Amino acid sequence: MKQPTFEITEWPDKTLFSRQETAQILGIGLSTLDSLISYSELPRTIVHKRVLVHRKDLENYISTCRTTVFGGTK
């Protein structure tokens, strides 16, 4: 079964998001975001010492975290 896709509607013209923007979209703190990045769960791009997250990587991460519960099982 194909995973449903997720599309970020905030900032429609942006391709790369800062750590703060990424954390805001995910609704998590910066330390949690840093853990996701350090454990390679969320890919990141470094540009001039800035850590940025690509829109497609963020959308893919959100899609893979989605679960559906049917009859009490995941």
Side-chain angles (χ1 to χ4, degrees), residues 12-44:
D13 297 331
K14 289 190 82 159
T15 302
L16 295 170
F17 294 102
S18 68
R19 289 173 55 246
Q20 292 79 8
E21 291 166 339
T22 302
Q24 180 182 355
I25 290 168
L26 292 174
I28 59 175
L30 288 175
S31 60
T32 303
L33 176 65
D34 291 340
S35 294
L36 291 174
I37 291 170
S38 69
Y39 293 132
S40 300
E41 292 183 39
L42 182 61
R44 50 89 169 105

Side-chain angles (χ1 to χ4, degrees), residues 32-60:
T32 303
L33 176 65
D34 291 340
S35 294
L36 291 174
I37 291 170
S38 69
Y39 293 132
S40 300
E41 292 183 39
L42 182 61
R44 50 89 169 105
T45 301
I46 298 177
V47 178
H48 295 287
K49 298 183 182 179
R50 290 187 61 209
V51 175
L52 303 167
V53 177
H54 194 278
R55 174 182 293 275
K56 288 294 180 192
D57 291 332
L58 184 53
E59 290 172 345
N60 289 338

Side-chain angles (χ1 to χ4, degrees), residues 1-5 63-64 66-70 74:
M1 180 171 166
K2 186 179 176 190
Q3 287 280 344
T5 58
S63 292
T64 60
R66 295 179 77 174
T67 60
T68 305
V69 177
F70 292 105
K74 286 187 177 183

